[in-house]
Amino acid sequence: MQYLVSCDVDAIGTDNPLLASAALDHTDYRGGLPRILNILLNIMANMAR
């Protein structure tokens, strides 16, 4: 997932938002769409708990 974010993909589909959130927490990005995706995945992960 970190590689996909570094390639500026528009979307990542997953059935495991906790894994996606954890992977993107360690991704080095500057903002924009990847930042919004990370925020949304964190919200989804917190709702799944």
Side-chain angles (χ1 to χ4, degrees):
M1 288 184 187
Q2 293 171 343
Y3 173 73
L4 293 173
V5 171
S6 71
C7 293
D8 293 330
V9 298
D10 292 327
I12 299 173
T14 181
D15 62 346
N16 191 341
L18 294 174
L19 175 65
S21 177
L24 294 177
D25 280 344
H26 301 290
T27 302
D28 182 27
Y29 52 83
R30 301 290 180 238
L33 185 59
R35 176 70 178 138
I36 294 169
L37 176 62
N38 191 30
I39 291 168
L40 292 174
L41 287 172
N42 279 325
I43 292 169
M44 289 172 44
N46 288 328
M47 290 172 55
R49 290 182 189 175

